[in-house]
Amino acid sequence: MSKLIVVTRHGTKISLDGRPGLSIMEHIRSAGVDELLAICGGCCSCATCHVYLDTQGPACGRAMSTDETELLESSTHRRPNSRLSCQIPFSEELDGLTVTIAPEDQ
Amino acid sequence: MDHYDCLIVGSGHGGSQAAIALRQHKFSGTIGLLGDEKELPYERPPLSKEYLAGEKPFERILIGSPEVWRSRNVTLLPGHRVEAIGSDAHVVVCDDGASFSYTHLIWAGGGTPRTLDCAGRDLKGVYSIRTRADIDEIARALPAVRRITVVGGGYIGLEAAAVLTKLGKQVTVLEAMDRVLARVAGEALSRFLEAEHRAHGVQICLGACVESVQGKDGVVTGVRLSDGGMIDAEMVIVGIGIVPSIGPLIAAGAAGDNGVDVDEFCRTSLPDIFAIGDCARHPSRFADGAPIRLESVQNATDQAMVVAKVIAGRAEPYASVPWFWSNQYDIRLQTVGLSRGHDQAIVRGDRATRKFSIVYLRNGRVLALDCVNATKDYVEGRALVAGRLSPPVHQLADATVPLKLLASGTNPDAAPRRLSTSADMPPAQAC
């Protein structure tokens, strides 16, 4: 079983079973990590599922859309490795990926 | 009688988020989350989009599995409808005879779909869109349906029309006003969306009032209009808004009528009873302090957090910038602020490119933006709305001028000014 590692804002590391086809956001939310709000439910209409990708881990296949880039611009916590987790479908190639939940925007 | 330190009535976005937020704010008492549906709490926006389209199974729109709710230490109480509140005794009584006592009550009752007020409204084949059960019934009936009439050109009706026409159905939208989205958006957006729907084969009838729903053997056959016209249909979907579910609160003496009145901390006029979400009429600084109801996930979620903080002893007034989204075909509409009461609407960008924004102003100050496939404007326009800024109109209208430059304060014309008060406002005009 492939794994996805999630690091919460408090630094807790959670290992989740990867479910191909579901987004990283859906993995985090269904694990009950409630600090990831994901208010729009995954349709790339807000920026409340912001995570940082571990740059040492596997590269995410799906490139960022303009919408995603622009929504991330709204975050004061944007970094080069920022992504909206609803926009990354999990796949076997992402086995071992670590994502860290970005701080909440006020 | 079971007691909950915090009893939440309504398990939609507001109720669910209130439970979650209470735990996030270290509320250690017992929490009961009561809802009239049998389902686990779920997201509603996909109902008229991906769930109706069959693109997302129900499991993917849940707000947590049973295990997750257990780990949140929240007791789910599905299948109960509150009929009465004893506000002195701090008790609620349900239609099935169950009763619960509470220390704090959070009313997140939402609303029920407004129904047609005419003959034939109860015929088989007439549906609303509010719950999972509504969509499941529609989905079961769809294979035998070719023509669908949607009554109401609001967001729900238009989203449903987009999905159903993509599923190959012949869809007619009936709107009583002279344009779709008349209550929530400016004319430029209405006309653009009408044209988009028509280009996808949807028939849009404006100024169309329903006289009756016609049927045969108890099954819908069409809709008769007040001008005598007849639209044949095997299915009718009614999307004409909601009636806020506040009956037991009002009966218990809470102030309100179209929505239960709450203050900036979401407190009703009854002791220890809060209200949030679609049914809560709250003073909004984005409506010049006027009491309004907002039917949106943003409002439900943010008010839930306000209440959780109040109960956790860290009260902060509700002040979130309203935002909203709608997806129809490949159109991504994102709204920030509230356009009601605007006296000027500026189109930014070329509608023909299907990427543009509308900036709504009142007295020269930015109230809201509707952004069509224009996420950058949506993101950057938020500061204009939050600060009620007054950038020069010619710059707002120039899509090559980034809104963030107008919001940065470096532009002398865009410097923040004091918030408007209703006293210096001219009467509202349509755009």
Side-chain angles (χ1 to χ4, degrees), chain B residues 13-33:
Chain B
H13 286 269
S16 298
Q17 186 58 40
I20 291 168
L22 280 165
R23 290 296 180 228
Q24 288 176 322
H25 289 285
K26 311 293 182 209
F27 178 77
S28 58
T30 52
I31 300 175
L33 180 56

Side-chain angles (χ1 to χ4, degrees), chain B residues 9-51:
Chain B
V9 175
S11 60
H13 286 269
S16 298
Q17 186 58 40
I20 291 168
L22 280 165
R23 290 296 180 228
Q24 288 176 322
H25 289 285
K26 311 293 182 209
F27 178 77
S28 58
T30 52
I31 300 175
L33 180 56
L34 182 152
D36 57 1
E37 294 176 68
K38 297 253 188 288
E39 323 286 354
L40 290 164
Y42 59 92
E43 295 175 63
R44 287 193 204 281
L47 292 180
S48 52
K49 308 182 190 79
E50 302 96 319
Y51 188 65

Side-chain angles (χ1 to χ4, degrees), chain B residues 41-359:
Chain B
Y42 59 92
E43 295 175 63
R44 287 193 204 281
L47 292 180
S48 52
K49 308 182 190 79
E50 302 96 319
Y51 188 65
L52 175 60
E55 292 165 2
K56 262 193 188 177
F58 186 64
E59 293 64 38
R60 287 184 66 185
I61 63 172
L62 286 178
I63 308 175
S65 63
E67 299 75 51
V68 165
W69 281 107
R70 269 196 292 280
S71 73
R72 289 167 180 154
N73 195 16
V74 172
T75 305
L76 297 180
L77 303 165
H80 298 288
R81 182 188 298 271
V82 171
E83 287 215 314
I85 300 169
S87 62
D88 290 339
H90 285 50
V91 224
V92 303
V93 181
C94 303
D95 58 348
D96 56 2
S99 53
F100 303 95
S101 61
Y102 62 84
T103 305
H104 303 282
L105 178 66
I106 302 176
W107 187 270
T112 52
R114 193 177 295 281
T115 53
L116 288 170
D117 182 21
C118 67
R121 65 182 191 180
D122 297 325
L123 287 165
K124 189 170 159 50
V126 180
Y127 301 95
S128 304
I129 294 184
R130 181 73 182 176
T131 64
R132 179 207 185 175
D134 292 334
I135 302 300
D136 288 353
E137 275 190 56
I138 290 172
R140 273 194 293 276
L142 271 183
V145 165
R146 189 167 63 85
R147 296 165 301 184
I148 300 172
T149 293
V150 175
V151 182
Y155 284 115
I156 291 282
L158 293 178
E159 288 172 359
V163 168
L164 294 167
T165 196
K166 268 168 48 182
L167 292 175
K169 307 302 176 187
Q170 188 182 317
V171 181
T172 303
V173 174
L174 305 179
E175 169 53 51
M177 311 282 276
D178 61 357
R179 59 187 178 91
V180 299
L181 298 180
R183 291 175 195 83
V184 290
E187 181 164 2
L189 183 65
S190 303
R191 299 304 180 215
F192 172 79
L193 287 174
E194 287 162 10
E196 287 288 323
H197 279 272
R198 284 174 174 143
H200 281 87
V202 175
Q203 191 182 356
I204 305 259
C205 303
L206 303 172
C209 294
V210 175
E211 187 269 332
S212 62
V213 182
Q214 301 286 307
K216 191 175 172 223
D217 303 328
V219 180
V220 69
T221 55
V223 174
R224 183 169 296 287
L225 303 178
S226 52
D227 67 1
M230 175 76 190
I231 315 268
D232 295 330
E234 295 84 41
M235 178 182 280
V236 173
I237 295 178
V238 181
I240 53 173
I242 62 161
V243 179
S245 297
I246 54 168
L249 281 174
I250 301 300
D257 45 68
N258 174 30
V260 61
D261 289 340
V262 297
D263 65 10
E264 67 270 42
F265 298 101
C266 298
R267 295 180 292 216
T268 68
S269 60
L270 296 175
D272 304 316
I273 303 183
F274 301 84
I276 59 174
D278 291 6
C279 68
R281 188 165 66 178
H282 61 278
S284 171
R285 83 173 180 93
F286 299 95
D288 293 325
I292 58 164
R293 283 196 307 110
L294 276 182
E295 297 169 12
S296 73
V297 175
Q298 170 274 318
N299 179 60
T301 305
D302 287 337
Q303 289 191 327
M305 297 196 219
V306 166
V307 171
K309 284 185 191 167
V310 172
I311 292 175
R314 297 168 45 198
E316 287 171 29
Y318 182 49
S320 305
V321 179
W323 60 271
F324 183 82
W325 78 93
S326 176
N327 299 321
Q328 297 164 39
Y329 312 108
D330 58 346
I331 300 163
R332 179 190 300 285
L333 170 70
Q334 291 161 300
T335 295
V336 58
L338 300 176
S339 62
R340 61 188 82 179
H342 67 272
D343 57 19
Q344 197 175 5
I346 296 160
V347 178
R348 194 180 142 78
D350 182 0
R351 274 166 277 192
T353 64
R354 307 173 73 253
K355 179 183 167 74
F356 66 97
S357 304
I358 307 165
V359 186

Side-chain angles (χ1 to χ4, degrees), chain A residues 9-56:
Chain A
R9 290 182 183 139
H10 288 106
T12 308
K13 230 177 220 192
I14 305 166
S15 174
L16 305 175
D17 289 338
R19 294 167 67 194
L22 296 194
S23 69
I24 303 283
M25 178 278 283
E26 288 176 287
H27 282 76
I28 300 173
R29 200 173 58 168
S30 55
V33 180
D34 291 330
E35 64 189 30
L36 192 87
L37 282 171
I39 290 177
C40 82
C43 63
C44 200
S45 287
C46 65
T48 58
C49 67
H50 182 183
V51 297
Y52 303 126
L53 298 186
D54 173 13
T55 49
Q56 307 303 312

